[in-house]
Amino acid sequence: DLGCGTGQGTCEAVASLESLLPPDTLVEAIGLTAEPLEAWMAAARRLPHDPSRERQWTLLVCRNIPAFVAGDALGDWPEGSYYIILANGLVGGDFLHGDDVYTWFLNNLRRHLAPGGRAFLANAYHDGYRGQVEAFVALARHHGWQVRGDWHGLELRRNTD
C-alpha cells in the first residue's frame, strides 16, 4: 500500500482479502509511508493525537498483520513481487505527477507486479487531480497497460499478463 499513512486502509484491505480466502492463507502486506512517525503509528496501532480514531483502529481485525515501513513512493520500494499494489491519492497529486514521474512509476509497477498482478489506484478525495490522472491513464495505455475504471478508481494490468 503506497502512501499508507497511519495504516488503517492497509489493514482494512488485508482484512477484506482474508475474508475471501481460506482461513489458513498467508497474506503478506507492506504499507509504505513517507513519514517515519506514521510508520510507527501504523505498526503500533497508535494515534496519540486522535483517541477516538485510535479506538477504532484497535478494533480493526486482520489475521495477517501488515509490515509498515517509512519510504518514498518515488524512491525504491521494498523488494518483492506483489500481486496487488494499492495507492490512494498519489497519482496526479502533489508528489506524483508529470510524464517523467508517471513513466518511472509505471516502470516500477512493471518491475514489482507479479505475473497476473494488478495495481489499484484511487483518488476518492482529490477532485482537483482529474486532469493529471487522465494524463496518467493515457500514458499508461501508451506504455502497454490495460486500464479499467475512471479517474476516481483505476485498475492497471500489463497487456502481457
Side-chain angles (χ1 to χ4, degrees), residues 31-103:
L32 179 72
T33 181
E35 296 296 327
L37 181 57
E38 286 182 336
W40 174 84
M41 288 191 292
R45 289 186 173 217
R46 294 291 318 273
L47 298 169
H49 64 290
D50 193 339
S52 66
R53 279 185 57 217
E54 183 173 312
R55 279 189 296 281
Q56 292 172 344
W57 186 197
T58 59
L59 296 174
L60 183 58
V61 176
C62 53
R63 291 186 309 273
N64 299 272
I65 305 299
F68 293 99
V69 297
D72 186 347
L74 292 178
D76 289 328
W77 299 351
E79 282 306 314
S81 184
Y82 305 102
Y83 290 99
I84 298 172
I85 294 177
L86 305 174
N88 186 15
L90 288 182
V91 173
D94 293 339
F95 301 105
L96 207 137
H97 60 272
D99 286 355
D100 291 342
V101 174
Y102 292 157
T103 299

Side-chain angles (χ1 to χ4, degrees), residues 6-7 10 12 21 26 28-29 33 61 72 78 81 89 92 96 100 106-107 114 125 138 146:
T6 55
T10 308
E12 288 170 350
L21 299 170
L26 175 63
E28 294 183 81
T33 181
V61 176
D72 186 347
S81 184
L96 207 137
D100 291 342
L106 290 166
N107 288 337
Y125 49 85
Q146 292 178 16

Side-chain angles (χ1 to χ4, degrees), residues 105-126:
F105 184 71
L106 290 166
N107 288 337
N108 231 13
L109 286 176
R110 185 176 309 280
R111 186 166 62 102
H112 285 288
L113 275 175
R118 306 284 189 277
F120 295 96
L121 312 176
N123 285 292
Y125 49 85
H126 296 295

